[in-house]
């Protein structure tokens, strides 16, 4: 099928490349000339696993990039809208980009088209997109508007697209649903997975994925409700972690105990420094705002957001309790991205914490495997960026772990200890076993687990490697 995807950001570019991999002919439209030139020239603008392979495979063949929305609409049976929906100051979703694209689409419709919302939008957006297209010359019989929410996590977005837990199609007419069914057929009938060149299957994937067809409004709600529920899970376990810290329990043990209940499940129960990213923070605010607009005061979401913010303050208090005063202290920082596997720093808790610590007068030397370029734009020259974890630790009063990159969980602990001025690690992502850290001579702070330190309570004359961790 001929498909247009409007917006070549994290969502649009991945969707475009994956739709091409399903066998469709895709035109990705963007109004940012610089981005287009880079994409046309073979660059891969974001760090995303398997995206380079897909772009190399399809660019110029089944995947083209253009700034000509009119032509793309005329050539396509389905037009996916994947432009940004940033929050306004009041926390609502700013839908002006969506509206302007809808207006642009209206003038170009020349035969039956399905206009698909891919961006995360509030529940009434389908109705508005339809109204805007009608107002700008579209004929009701020439188009339908559908919602097809994405559940892509940055870092694993390509496999999330191609091996989804489910495909949700929100369509209010059988004709419109049929177009979307056809687009996703290679996934839902399983034929994509038989192709030798298919992107490899991740561990947990259930094949083929179920197709869920709903009304457009329900699909819009599925997206907001899914993200709000996942964020609630994270805030819930962060609140439990705080209680664990107060009573001396271990949140990882608690997680194992509750996560094995199949009704709860073990995923998205990792405590840390709170959720960030371009979705959860903005979607929770937008969901709360839309609920309020329709007369429901969704106070549960207020609390989810409050716990998330508090989690960052708690981390700063931990740094203070480890180092006493902060002015002039040198800190090594591992991680700038909002999560592992991406170069995205939007709403990154790591960046927020670094900014607070800089304000307190700390000197920071940081390393991230992918996010230096974007972090440099956000932080300016205030932070020294280095090329590996050990350089970040060199001469530091303490090492802070702020992003859950896999490579941070398998560092050479002897080398790390030798690099640090004091062997203090404050881990905001619980990447290490406290016993192991104490065994290597570290004072180790983590989230929801007892502080371990080899020094104060260790019996005299015992080598660091033989010392048992101790609580304080
Ligand atoms: C997306 C969704 O839009 C958002 O709702 C979801 O919650 C997260 O992901 P993302 O892909 O991350 O956003 O956005 P961004 O990286 O900002 O990309 C949007 C693209 O659309 C940009 O390349 C921008 O140039 C383009 N754009 C924007 C247009 O082509 N036309 C416009 O009118 C506005
Ligand atoms: C999220 C949703 O997961 C995805 O379905 C949706 O389409 C877009 O938003 P993303 O923001 O890319 O994806 O990343 P995600 O893996 O959900 O992580 C979001 C934040 O929560 C990160 O800051 C991450 O570090 C944090 N997190 C995640 C936790 O603190 N604990 C967890 O257990 C999981």
């Amino acid at each position: 099928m001929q498909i247009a995807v409007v917006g070549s950001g994290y969502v649009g570019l991945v969707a475009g490349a994956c739709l091409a991999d399903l066998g469709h002919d895709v035109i990705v439209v963007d109004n940012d000339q610089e981005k287009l030139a880079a994409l046309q020239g073979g660059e891969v603008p974001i760090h995303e696993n398997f995206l380079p392979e897909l772009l190399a495979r399809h660019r110029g063949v089944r995947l083209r990039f253009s700034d000509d929305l009119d032509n793309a609409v005329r050539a396509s049976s389905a037009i996916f809208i994947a432009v940004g929906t940033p929050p306004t100051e009041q926390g609502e979703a700013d839908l002006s980009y969506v509206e302007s694209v809808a207006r642009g689409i209206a003038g170009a419709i020349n035969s039956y088209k399905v206009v698909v919302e891919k961006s995360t939008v509030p529940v009434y957006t389908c109705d508005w997109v339809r109204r805007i297209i009608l107002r700008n010359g579209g004929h009701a019989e020439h188009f339908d508007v559908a919602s097809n929410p994405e559940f892509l996590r940055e870092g694993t977005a390509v496999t999330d697209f191609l091996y989804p837990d489910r495909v949700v199609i929100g369509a209010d007419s059988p004709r419109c649903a049929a177009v979307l069914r056809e687009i996703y057929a290679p996934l839902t009938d399983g034929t994509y997975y038989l192709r030798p060149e298919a992107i490899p299957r991740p561990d947990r994937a259930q094949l083929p994925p179920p197709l869920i067809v709903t009304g457009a409004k329900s699909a819009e709600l599925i997206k907001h409700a899914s993200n709000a529920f996942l964020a609630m899970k994270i805030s819930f376990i962060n609140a439990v972690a705080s209680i664990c810290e107060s009573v001396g329990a271990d949140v990882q043990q608690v997680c194992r105990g509750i996560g094995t209940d199949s009704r709860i499940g073990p995923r998205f129960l990792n405590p840390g420094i709170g959720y960030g990213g371009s979705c959860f923070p903005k979607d929770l605010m937008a969901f709360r705002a839309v609920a309020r607009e329709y007369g429901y005061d969704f106070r549960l979401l207020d609390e989810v957001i409050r716990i998330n913010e508090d989690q960052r303050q708690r981390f700063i208090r931990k740094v203070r309790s480890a180092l006493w005063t902060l002015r002039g202290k040198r800190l090594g920082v591992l991680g700038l991205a909002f999560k592992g596997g991406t170069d995205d720093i939007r709403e990154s808790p790591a960046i927020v914490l670094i900014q607070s610590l800089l304000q307190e007068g700390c000197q920071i030397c940081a390393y991230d495997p992918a996010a230096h370029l974007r972090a440099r734009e956000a932080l300016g020259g205030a932070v020294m960026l280095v090329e590996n974890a050990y350089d970040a630790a060199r001469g530091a009063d303490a090492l802070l772990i702020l992003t859950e990159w896999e490579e941070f969980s398998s560092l050479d602990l002897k080398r790390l200890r030798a690099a640090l001025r004091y062997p203090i690690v404050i881990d905001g992502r619980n990447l290490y076993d406290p016993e192991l850290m104490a065994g290597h001579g570290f004072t180790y702070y983590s989230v929801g687990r007892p502080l371990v330190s080899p020094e104060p309570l260790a019996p005299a004359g015992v080598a660091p490697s033989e010392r048992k961790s101790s609580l304080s």
Side-chain angles (χ1 to χ4, degrees):
M1 195 182 290
Q2 270 285 352
I3 294 174
V5 177
V6 189
S8 65
Y10 284 84
V11 172
L13 187 58
V14 169
C18 290
L19 288 167
D21 210 43
L22 297 188
H24 303 299
D25 283 316
V26 182
I27 307 176
V28 174
V29 181
D30 206 294
N31 58 9
D32 180 335
Q33 296 299 337
E34 226 173 282
K35 217 173 203 180
L36 279 178
L39 286 165
Q40 282 159 344
E43 283 177 38
V44 184
I46 54 175
H47 179 94
E48 194 61 65
N49 215 5
F50 295 118
L51 188 60
E53 286 91 324
L54 288 188
L55 291 181
R57 197 181 282 178
H58 301 299
R59 186 188 280 117
V61 187
R62 284 210 294 264
L63 183 62
R64 284 175 296 135
F65 300 98
S66 159
D67 63 352
D68 188 343
L69 180 62
D70 272 20
N71 260 332
V73 171
R74 274 195 285 271
S76 303
S77 308
I79 300 109
F80 285 76
I81 304 180
V83 294
T85 51
T88 63
E89 270 182 23
Q90 290 72 41
E92 294 154 4
D94 175 356
L95 297 173
S96 54
Y97 299 128
V98 174
E99 179 177 350
S100 103
V101 171
R103 235 181 288 125
I105 292 171
I109 293 178
N110 57 348
S111 60
Y112 180 73
K113 316 276 178 198
V114 173
V115 179
V116 190
E117 293 169 0
K118 197 71 177 157
S119 302
T120 308
V121 290
V123 63
Y124 47 78
T125 309
C126 259
D127 282 352
W128 266 111
V129 169
R130 152 167 287 277
R131 213 177 299 171
I132 294 297
I133 295 177
L134 288 172
R135 255 183 215 170
N136 289 277
H139 293 286
E141 66 280 12
H142 278 169
F143 75 98
D144 274 308
V145 183
S147 163
N148 169 222
E150 49 84 15
F151 303 99
L152 316 179
R153 288 161 304 161
E154 288 180 26
T156 54
V158 168
T159 45
D160 284 347
F161 189 103
L162 296 168
Y163 295 86
D165 287 350
R166 75 295 204 193
V167 173
V168 175
I169 290 175
D172 292 326
S173 81
R175 187 181 186 191
C176 166
V179 171
L180 278 153
R181 276 178 201 274
E182 190 184 331
I183 291 174
Y184 285 101
L187 299 183
T188 54
D189 67 15
T191 48
Y192 174 77
Y193 308 113
L194 303 175
R195 297 184 198 162
E197 76 282 7
I199 292 293
R201 172 186 181 167
D203 288 346
R204 259 184 298 264
Q206 304 251 352
L207 302 183
L211 176 71
I212 298 173
V213 182
T214 68
K217 285 197 171 72
S218 300
E220 289 171 321
L221 272 174
I222 286 170
K223 173 65 198 195
H224 264 161
S226 297
N227 274 358
F229 193 88
L230 291 169
M232 179 182 77
K233 237 181 143 179
I234 297 169
S235 278
F236 182 86
I237 202 63
N238 279 332
V240 173
S242 299
I243 301 171
C244 288
E245 285 176 8
S246 305
V247 301
D250 181 332
V251 73
Q252 297 306 146
Q253 295 178 0
V254 176
C255 281
R256 202 161 355 116
I258 62 178
T260 40
D261 184 327
S262 59
R263 293 169 301 174
I264 297 173
R267 298 172 70 195
F268 276 70
L269 272 187
N270 295 320
I273 48 176
Y275 59 77
S278 69
C279 287
F280 286 173
K282 113 175 140 48
D283 289 352
L284 260 81
M285 287 197 296
F287 196 21
R288 186 175 61 172
V290 74
R292 193 176 298 141
E293 202 177 324
Y294 284 87
Y296 184 76
D297 189 8
F298 209 153
R299 270 183 280 177
L300 177 62
L301 299 186
D302 295 343
E303 197 51 23
V304 170
I305 295 168
R306 191 197 63 74
I307 293 169
N308 199 53
E309 281 161 7
D310 189 45
Q311 207 59 15
R312 292 168 196 181
Q313 297 311 317
R314 292 182 70 89
F315 189 80
I316 296 280
R317 286 202 291 276
K318 235 169 245 175
V319 178
R320 221 188 279 284
S321 78
L323 296 177
W324 190 19
T325 65
L326 295 182
R327 181 161 302 282
K329 293 279 159 70
R330 187 186 165 106
L331 302 176
V333 165
L334 299 187
L336 298 160
F338 81 96
K339 60 180 269 191
T342 178
D343 59 349
D344 196 352
I345 57 153
R346 289 179 289 180
E347 299 287 326
S348 169
I351 299 287
V352 176
L353 287 171
I354 287 172
Q355 281 163 336
S356 300
L357 291 165
L358 286 171
Q359 267 184 359
E360 301 268 359
C362 296
Q363 293 168 26
I364 294 181
C365 185
Y367 166 66
D368 187 284
H372 282 193
L373 210 63
R374 290 176 205 272
R376 177 61 73 218
E377 284 166 21
L379 296 168
V383 170
M384 198 201 307
L385 299 178
V386 292
E387 287 313 305
N388 63 63
Y390 308 100
D391 285 351
R394 184 147 305 124
D397 293 288
L399 183 74
L400 275 45
I401 304 178
L402 301 184
T403 305
E404 68 275 45
W405 278 99
E406 226 175 287
E407 71 169 75
F408 296 161
S409 59
S410 54
L411 296 171
D412 177 340
L413 295 176
K414 275 202 185 111
R415 195 174 157 200
L416 194 67
R417 191 179 164 196
L420 281 162
R421 181 171 182 210
Y422 301 114
I424 301 172
V425 173
I426 309 168
D427 182 357
R429 298 294 192 166
N430 285 5
L431 297 188
Y432 284 93
D433 173 18
E435 295 276 324
L436 178 78
M437 294 303 273
H440 277 81
F442 287 101
T443 295
Y444 178 68
Y445 294 75
S446 55
V447 182
R449 301 183 296 180
L451 158 69
V452 293
S453 176
E455 270 125 28
L457 302 179
V462 181
S465 58
E466 293 165 14
R467 287 176 191 161
K468 282 276 172 273
S469 64
S470 51
L471 313 183
S472 62

